[in-house]
Amino acid sequence: MIPPYRGRFAPSPTGPLHFGSLVAAVGSYLDARAQGGEWLLRMEDVDIPRNVPGAADDILRTLTAFGFEWDGAVLYQSKRVEAYGDALARLQRSGLAYGCACSRKEIADSAIHVAIDGGLAYPGTCRNGLPAGREARAWRLHVGNERLTFVDRLQGEVVQYLERDVGDFVLRRADGLFAYQLAVVVDDAWQGINNVVRGADLLASTPRQIWLQRCLGYPLPAYAHLPVAANAAGEKLSKQTMARALCTDMVAAELLRALQFLGQAAPGDLARAPVAEVWSWARENWSFEAIPHRPLIILPV
Ligand code: GLU
């Protein structure tokens, strides 16, 4: 029997929701609802120094104003530290996670390859034990040297050589905080998420997450990476690129824009309709097939 669809939206409270986050929320929500599935909400506040005070509540208010209805209680990653610790302990016991003493500078000096997401691929310095007299600062996961592939529902086949492209990656940082990669995998499994629909900016992280799922014996969800909205310079809309916050006075118009961005043939006069009408159009007419199979779409100015 195929388990019922369970999807999620997992914003980080690093600022207000902007158009890019709305696209991920709309895409994941409609994909779930169109398949009679559940849609859970998770606040990814594990990276405490990056959280902006009040942003989590502001995100919840915005989602409510936009008419999103999530299933169950919101899960806060900041309350899940014990579960991440348990997962790390399992990986340590099985010898897959190891302590690493390297500083950022040491890695920069010794790394040969440039990692897929712009950082440095860890060269494996501490993989076979800490150098004498050094202490573990962070915990890393051994990656296999195989070719990791998966088929994304939108972006097609993705291939990564984890060792070359990212290297042994961090599970627990030198400041003691758990890394997003570990938290997201532990929570997706714990919440029973079997469909992940999110922005294509996370496509390059997915092989790491699949590797972690394998190491922890978790089931593999299906993935669909939606196109990401970018400015004319090709930069993803984010707080860093000064994306404006969503306007809750223009909910129907913003929703319509997100639907059209996702390739849906939503009629322009919905911009002036009551929000409930936009949603009923969207639920009845949602077409996953119409979503552009592209990682990036430049927004017209
Ligand atoms: N918290 C991540 C973000 O806001 C999303 C993670 C995910 O959907 O897996 O970019």
Side-chain angles (χ1 to χ4, degrees):
M1 204 187 84
I2 303 170
Y5 183 115
R6 193 177 267 189
R8 48 59 155 195
F9 177 53
S12 302
T14 52
L17 289 185
H18 52 77
F19 182 70
S21 7
L22 181 64
V23 166
V26 167
S28 59
Y29 187 64
L30 289 171
D31 192 50
R33 295 306 191 218
Q35 300 188 50
E38 292 180 306
W39 188 73
L40 278 57
L41 186 58
R42 183 165 73 229
M43 203 53 75
E44 299 213 317
D45 56 356
V46 70
D47 191 350
I48 293 159
R50 287 189 63 216
N51 294 339
V52 169
D57 288 342
D58 182 59
I59 289 173
L60 298 185
R61 269 194 304 275
T62 306
L63 289 172
T64 306
F66 272 77
F68 289 96
E69 290 169 357
W70 53 91
D71 294 295
V74 181
L75 184 71
Y76 288 84
Q77 290 194 321
S78 51
K79 307 225 166 80
R80 300 265 304 144
V81 170
E82 213 178 302
Y84 310 144
D86 290 348
L88 177 61
R90 274 179 57 202
L91 296 166
Q92 289 165 335
R93 277 197 301 275
S94 57
L96 287 162
Y98 64 88
C100 169
C102 298
S103 65
R104 243 177 239 271
K105 180 167 185 321
E106 285 168 327
I107 298 171
D109 290 346
S110 57
I112 302 162
H113 301 289
V114 172
I116 207 126
D117 41 14
L120 293 164
Y122 182 66
T125 319
C126 298
R127 191 185 275 173
N128 299 314
L130 291 170
R134 301 285 303 267
E135 273 180 28
R137 304 171 76 239
W139 285 86
R140 290 183 181 271
L141 183 68
H142 266 287
V143 295
N145 58 6
E146 69 192 283
R147 179 176 180 267
L148 200 148
T149 69
F150 74 99
V151 179
D152 187 83
R153 290 170 60 207
L154 283 167
Q155 309 295 337
E157 190 184 32
V158 175
V159 179
Q160 227 178 59
Y161 292 85
L162 279 180
E163 185 162 22
R164 183 195 69 189
D165 295 336
V166 283
D168 293 347
F169 59 92
V170 171
L171 300 173
R172 188 175 195 163
R173 305 179 343 195
D175 60 8
L177 293 174
F178 289 99
Y180 155 72
Q181 307 291 351
L182 179 68
V184 74
V185 162
V186 170
D187 287 340
D188 280 339
W190 192 69
Q191 292 188 290
I193 303 300
N194 49 24
N195 274 275
V196 172
V197 179
R198 60 185 178 188
D201 50 319
L202 291 159
L203 196 59
S205 289
T206 310
R208 264 168 280 178
Q209 294 171 19
I210 292 175
W211 178 251
L212 259 170
Q213 285 153 357
R214 283 193 202 162
C215 293
L216 288 163
Y218 293 156
L220 179 75
Y223 287 96
H225 284 87
L226 303 167
V228 162
N231 63 18
E235 297 161 333
K236 171 196 136 165
L237 287 194
S238 68
K239 219 175 54 185
Q240 287 75 28
T241 55
M242 309 303 278
R244 68 168 173 81
L246 290 172
C247 181
T248 45
D249 300 336
M250 292 174 26
V251 170
E254 299 264 36
L255 273 179
L256 177 67
R257 237 177 109 221
L259 288 167
Q260 290 175 338
F261 181 87
L262 289 170
Q264 311 297 302
D269 54 6
L270 280 179
R272 287 172 302 280
V275 182
E277 212 172 292
V278 184
W279 279 121
S280 64
W281 184 94
R283 280 210 197 85
E284 276 157 38
N285 297 282
W286 174 247
S287 164
F288 185 83
E289 291 64 42
I291 303 173
H293 290 205
R294 285 158 57 190
L296 202 79
I297 295 180
I298 311 266
L299 288 178
V301 268

